[in-house]
Amino acid sequence: MAVLLLAEVNDGELFLDATAKAVAAVQSLGDVTALCVGATCSAAAQAATKIDGVTNVLCAEHDLYGHRLAEPVAALMASLAADYDHIVAPATTDAKNIMPRVAALLDVMVISDVSGIVDGDTFERPIYAGNAVQTVKSSDSKKVVTIRTSTFDAAGEGGSASVENIDAAANPDLSQWVEDKGATSDRPELTSAGVVVSGGRGVGSEEDFALIEKLADKLGAAVGASRAAVDSGYAPNDWQVGQTGKVVAPDLYVAVGISGAIQHLAGMKDSKIIVAINKDEEAPIFQVADYGLVADLFSAVPDLIEKL
């Protein structure tokens, strides 16, 4: 069996963490070919060759792929599908946009957020906000899969794959780029950070959320937020952790003023160490925390910042 894996390429650079974890997840399915797509992706393709487990790298460098539109990339992947049994990608924002389109073009189902691979036909994925694991067996001739990378360790480096440049596929001309509005930050990227500090509704206001940011900066951490905090306007959407936000699994997750709704737990309960600070000793977050501090965050967090 052969696997075509869509590498995560942003602005010409390979997002190594997500790509390497996806490679590790699917190695057992057969030879892995990484596909790098972008207006400039030569450097990303070279970086992909070094991932242990990648046997070949395809580089589709064309202006058509310059603005991360899903339809042209899906058309390219569908045109390559004949040579592969499994078409996979890490479950990132881009892949969640692209892979259902690939599945539709191939007239097969998409199996999303896979957290375990039983065999070439059978996959495990979390459902009900992570409270149950569904085992899915597909009889489709082509398996289109997205991988929940937080549940896998990254493949190491040491590979020596070759790069093959390929032509762009025909443009389906279904959408056009208007503009990009991107958030910039000196902090680590949320889904790949080793440490995450998140704030919840208990923080109380956008102004007080600066406490969460100060603590994160002391720890060299990414900043996260619960949906309640985002909906209240305390934090931007791209900081949201949870079932309807981003799924993270850092070495250390610090939850401040977060009660621990089931939807939030679904996005962070695989963290290696969870620390919770909440003045309500009955808060559900303490049921998953390794360390819990029952305290007013407005006293505890400034003390923590000072000591750090």
Side-chain angles (χ1 to χ4, degrees), residues 17 21 150 152-153 189-197 219-222 248-254 268-275 290-291:
D17 184 73
K21 286 179 177 178
S150 63
F152 296 95
D153 294 327
E189 205 279 328
L190 182 56
T191 56
S192 60
V195 182
V196 174
V197 179
L219 293 169
V248 301
D251 295 324
L252 172 63
Y253 188 88
V254 183
M268 45 65 73
K269 67 181 182 180
D270 289 329
S271 304
K272 305 298 185 295
I273 296 175
I274 299 171
V275 175
D290 298 286
Y291 299 93

Side-chain angles (χ1 to χ4, degrees), residues 117-293:
I117 294 176
V118 179
D119 57 39
D121 298 322
T122 313
F123 309 88
E124 295 176 343
R125 58 188 300 272
I127 57 173
Y128 303 134
N131 282 283
V133 175
Q134 180 184 57
T135 302
V136 180
K137 185 168 185 177
S138 171
S139 59
D140 287 330
S141 58
K142 306 287 183 185
K143 312 298 189 294
V144 177
V145 177
T146 64
I147 302 294
R148 178 173 282 201
T149 54
S150 63
T151 58
F152 296 95
D153 294 327
E157 294 192 4
S160 57
S162 58
V163 177
E164 178 185 348
N165 294 310
I166 61 173
D167 295 330
N171 184 2
D173 205 22
L174 295 170
S175 61
Q176 63 181 19
W177 174 81
V178 177
E179 65 175 333
D180 288 329
K181 289 185 178 179
T184 57
S185 174
D186 294 332
R187 298 188 181 100
E189 205 279 328
L190 182 56
T191 56
S192 60
V195 182
V196 174
V197 179
S198 285
R201 194 200 308 271
V203 177
S205 70
E206 183 179 3
E207 292 73 24
D208 288 331
F209 214 86
L211 266 180
I212 305 300
E213 297 181 60
K214 286 180 183 176
L215 178 57
D217 290 341
K218 285 289 185 181
L219 293 169
V223 179
S226 68
R227 178 169 181 171
V230 171
D231 287 349
S232 299
Y234 304 165
N237 283 358
D238 59 333
W239 288 3
Q240 184 177 324
V241 173
Q243 184 179 13
T244 54
K246 295 179 178 177
V247 177
V248 301
D251 295 324
L252 172 63
Y253 188 88
V254 183
V256 182
I258 294 175
S259 63
I262 190 172
Q263 291 85 354
H264 184 76
L265 300 184
M268 45 65 73
K269 67 181 182 180
D270 289 329
S271 304
K272 305 298 185 295
I273 296 175
I274 299 171
V275 175
I277 301 173
N278 199 298
K279 65 181 180 182
D280 178 9
E281 64 182 25
E282 301 297 328
I285 191 72
F286 290 124
Q287 296 177 16
V288 298
D290 298 286
Y291 299 93
L293 177 61

Side-chain angles (χ1 to χ4, degrees), residues 47-54 155-161:
T49 63
K50 298 181 176 63
I51 300 175
D52 190 22
V54 173
E157 294 192 4
S160 57

